Structure formats: structure tokens, C-alpha cells
Amino acid sequence: MVSSIEEAKKGVTYNIERAPLGLEQLTAYEATTDEATALDKAVNLKLDCIVVLILAIDFILCGIDKTNIGYVATTNMVKDANLKPDDIPDSVSLFSVTFITLQPVSTAIGRRVGPKYWIAFMMICWGSVCMAHAGVQNRCTLITLRLLLGAFEAGFVPTSFYYMSTIYPKYSLGFRLGLFAGMYSIAGAFAGLIAYGIFQIRSSTLQNWQLLFLIEGGLSLSMAVVTVLVLPAKLESAWFFKPAEAAHAVARMELDVRGASSEDARGKTAQITKRDIFDSIKDWKKLITVVFNVLATLPVSAFSYFMPLIVHGLGYHGIKASLMSVSPFVVGACGLFAFVWSSDHFKERSIHTASSMILAIVGLIVVYVSETPKIRYAFVHICLAGAFTAGPLIVAWLAGNTPEKGMRAIIIGINGWSNLAGVIAGQLFKPKHGPTYRYPLLVTMILIAIGACGFLSIRILLMCINRKRAQMISTWTVQEFEEESESSVRRGDQKPTFKYGY
């Protein structure tokens, strides 16, 4: 079977040889020639240095604009804006209302209008809302702005995940999602540095907290322009590809879901259909994976609450305390990169995810049983070395097992509800459990263990489904394979020819 892909800007047509549907279950794309391997390296390098880099910078700004409220809370904002002491904490909690609930909707819109345009639009909106914080004069205005900020930031991460899933084959995707997700910890470090620098600025007309909102919101607006100008809307029209690279980039994405998706890699249809929605809601295997992901990401949220308490127990305060909080998250990012690289290399998701969660449990056990602050601090590093991994790997797992792009956008959006882990952590790590916090640590360990067992159970389930499907199609003829490929009765991973990754 031969596919012709015309690169309109160059006026050249390239023919990419593609393997026909065989008498076997469909698996992921894999380079089989030296030429394809060389093209893979060239394509991936350009996508990494342009697309992933731009999205990573956007993610840092997203995190900064979300967390800067914590830094201005240490200034005169409460007095200047006529607020009460509880108004800022209340606004932080209410941010989650729109941020969590609107993720599937926002991701679906991103699929419809195009990821790069939607990402840029969201950045313009949340940057403007961030700047508007400089004019806060009462509680009502503050809460309204935080709700709007949550709404506009809601779809950024899942839309970025979806976007990357359309340009990288499934077993090149995990590492890139990990690189992107690793920006979470970097955002925290940059937020503190930028806040410190801005707070040194003296203005005769504006307070330092107002300058913080205006400058950081303005950075997002500027980066939105860069995003819409630099990111490609489609692989075949990417400005940084040579014609042969563009053709190969499209062809490998088609091969990655060959015979399972009703849409080719060029994205000719971008609607979210009722069938996409209903299929997503009925796919209990993926929905229960999202539930287990809430449990898997719990330690990341938990230590955003618990870390300052650990550092405080060591006797550090002020700038030293901030510095002591950096290294655990750096180790966490390194652990994340190692796990996601290995996952792509070995083409495996569930065992890598469960292993990272077990590593987190090991760290938590020592933190739980020890009463020595330095030992607890050391094993926080061990915990976070595994804690960050589940988030991006689960997205890669879900995306790889959802070849239909409309359904994939919805599933990735629903997976955004795993941010409920932050709500759970906030309820667990309350001051009444201090200073040891043994009860919330014990609950966290139990929930992570349940999540790890859940992922391994899903692995066994998918293996059984693959085995049953292999037996079913073992007697099929080439004609039957072709008919199933063209049939609309079943689609995506519902087709017996589709082989689940696990």
C-alpha cells in the first residue's frame, strides 16, 4: 500500500511505502529501515527543539500565573485591596472549581479549533486575567478573577498533551510528555525567583504586588504571540520541516494507528461527535484508569503541602528554607525523565508506572516511621523520584490506546480530573495532624498502593483482551482484515484487529 503526501509549499510529492494490513493485530509504528530511522531522528529533533520547548515555556508561565497569588499574600495586598486574611486562601481553593471541572470541555474545544490556536487564546485570556489582579479592591473581584483564571488555564495541560499525541508516535510520546510535565517543578523555582526580583522594584504609582501581576501576566501575553506564530497547525505544513521530513512525519502517524482510526494524521476532520462522547463515557477501562491516576498523583500534591513542614522541622527559614525545598523536586524531575525514557524504550507503560509508585511508597514508609527530620528530608527525595512519573505515563498510555482523535481529546480531558488529588491532599494534610502527619502519610501510602495494584490489574485485563482478539482473527483472510479496516460498525480500539499497549 502506498500513500502520497503532497507538501503544498514545496510543490513536491513524496511517496512513502507503507506496510499493508497483515494477518496480525495492529501494533505501533516502528522504523524498519536505516532511512526511516534517520528521518525519525531529524523529525523528532525539530519537534523537540521547537514544539516541546515552546509548550514547556508556556507551562512554566501557566504555573507562575497560577501560583503568584501565594507570593503576593506575603506583601501588603490584603490591606491595599481591602481583603480579609481568609480571602486569599478561599480564592485559591475556589480556583479549582473551574480549573478541574472544565478540563474535558476545554480540551474538546482545543481539538475543534486546533490546539495551537486554542493554547494561544487561553494564554491571552489567562495573561489578561492575571494582569487584572492588579486592580483588585475587594473579595468579590478577587474570587471572580480566580474563577476566570481557573477556567482559562483548565485546558492548557490536557490540550498540550493531546497536541503532542498527534505529532509523536505512541512509543516516542512518553518521554516528551515527561519532559513537558517536568516543567511543573521548574515553574515553582522560577516563580520564586521572578517574585523576588520584582519585589525589589520600587514604583511611585504601583505597589510591588501589582507590578508582579502586571509583569507576569504580560509575559504570558507575549508568549501567546510566539506560540501562535511558531507552532505548526499540521504536520505536513510545519515550516521547519523539509518536504521529505514532513511526508515522513505524517506517514508514521498514520502507520501508528493504521486500520484503527477513521481519520488520517493530517486531521481533515476536527469535530467532536456524539459518538466520540458516548464511546468515551462507555469505555470503563479508560475511566477506571483515570480513577487510579488520581491515587497515583496524590504524593505530588501532598508534598506541595508537606514539604515546607519538613524543611521547617530542620530548622531552616526564609531563603534557606526555599533552597532546601528545591532539591527534592529536582530529584523528582530526574526520576521522571528516567522512568519515561525507559517506558518508551521498552514500549511498556503499566509496570513502569507501578514501579515508580512503589518507589514513592518506599520513601513514604521511612518518612512515616522516622522521627529524625534529616532522615525524613532525605527520603522525601526517594518518594518524589517516583511520584512524578504516573501523570505523563498514564496520558501516554491512554493516548496510545485511543486511536480515534476525537475520543482521545475527550479521554485526555477527563484525565485532567486527576487534579482532584490536590483536593484530597488539602483535606488530608491538615494542621491537626502535625507535626508528624502520620495519619495522612498512612492514608496516602494506602491510596498509592491501591492505584499501583489497579494499574497492574488493567495490564492483566488488556493482555487477556489481546489474547482473545488474536485467537479470533487468527483464521481471518486478507479480505476480512480489509473489510474490518473499512467498517464503521466498530472503530478505534473497539476493532478486534487493534492490539492494546500495556
Side-chain angles (χ1 to χ4, degrees), residues 68-147:
N68 55 18
I69 190 72
Y71 293 97
V72 300
T74 64
T75 68
N76 294 326
M77 180 182 179
V78 173
K79 179 181 178 181
D80 296 338
N82 305 308
L83 301 175
K84 296 179 180 179
D86 289 340
D87 288 344
I88 289 181
D90 288 346
S91 71
V92 171
S93 298
L94 289 171
F95 168 89
S96 298
V97 173
T98 50
F99 180 73
I100 294 176
T101 57
L102 293 178
Q103 294 211 17
V105 176
S106 185
T107 310
I109 296 173
R111 150 78 177 169
R112 182 66 183 91
V113 304
K116 87 159 186 174
Y117 300 111
W118 185 238
I119 288 171
F121 176 78
M122 286 188 290
M123 294 184 71
I124 291 172
C125 291
W126 89 54
S128 301
V129 170
C130 179
M131 296 179 71
H133 279 65
V136 170
Q137 290 296 318
N138 53 61
R139 171 186 170 89
C140 182
T141 303
L142 176 63
I143 290 178
T144 300
L145 289 175
R146 297 306 292 181
L147 289 171

Side-chain angles (χ1 to χ4, degrees), residues 224-456:
V225 176
V226 176
T227 298
V228 78
L229 291 177
V230 174
L231 293 185
K234 298 178 181 179
L235 280 174
E236 69 268 24
S237 59
W239 59 270
F240 46 80
F241 280 151
K242 296 177 181 178
E245 293 170 346
H248 179 75
V250 174
R252 70 175 187 169
M253 292 307 297
E254 293 179 355
L255 280 170
D256 204 46
V257 294
R258 59 183 181 136
S261 176
S262 58
E263 177 186 350
D264 65 25
R266 285 159 285 186
K268 292 181 178 179
T269 59
Q271 291 83 4
I272 296 290
T273 66
K274 290 182 179 179
R275 185 173 182 181
D276 291 327
I277 297 172
F278 290 142
D279 284 352
S280 300
I281 295 173
K282 291 187 296 182
D283 196 336
W284 62 270
K285 299 186 295 299
K286 295 188 178 73
L287 295 181
I288 199 170
T289 300
V290 173
V291 173
F292 290 136
N293 196 29
V294 175
L295 307 181
T297 54
L298 184 57
V300 177
S301 300
F303 276 96
S304 67
Y305 293 93
F306 194 50
M307 186 64 68
L309 302 171
I310 292 286
V311 173
H312 181 73
L314 287 168
Y316 292 99
H317 306 280
I319 295 177
K320 287 187 177 180
S322 298
L323 291 175
M324 292 293 288
S325 298
V326 171
S327 64
F329 288 98
V330 172
V331 172
C334 292
L336 164 64
F337 298 150
F339 272 108
V340 294
W341 178 88
S342 177
S343 176
D344 275 358
H345 179 74
F346 290 103
K347 297 179 171 58
E348 197 285 328
R349 302 301 188 203
S350 55
I351 292 179
H352 280 81
T353 303
S355 298
S356 70
M357 294 167 71
I358 292 171
L359 182 61
I361 292 174
V362 170
L364 284 173
I365 290 174
V366 177
V367 175
Y368 175 77
V369 300
S370 176
E371 295 183 359
T372 305
K374 290 185 178 180
I375 293 178
R376 301 183 96 200
Y377 177 72
F379 275 84
V380 165
H381 292 71
I382 302 298
C383 175
L384 292 187
F388 285 100
T389 302
L393 274 193
I394 294 306
V395 173
W397 193 6
L398 291 171
N401 284 338
T402 314
E404 286 290 338
K405 292 183 183 177
M407 184 178 172
R408 184 190 303 172
I410 295 172
I411 289 294
I412 292 178
I414 292 174
N415 184 66
W417 286 344
S418 60
N419 286 285
L420 287 169
V423 178
I424 297 172
Q427 294 302 308
L428 279 176
F429 287 82
K430 290 186 174 181
K432 66 180 181 180
H433 298 300
T436 60
Y437 289 84
R438 280 194 167 81
Y439 172 74
L441 287 172
L442 177 62
V443 174
T444 300
M445 283 188 283
I446 293 173
L447 293 178
I448 297 173
I450 293 173
C453 292
F455 290 136
L456 294 176

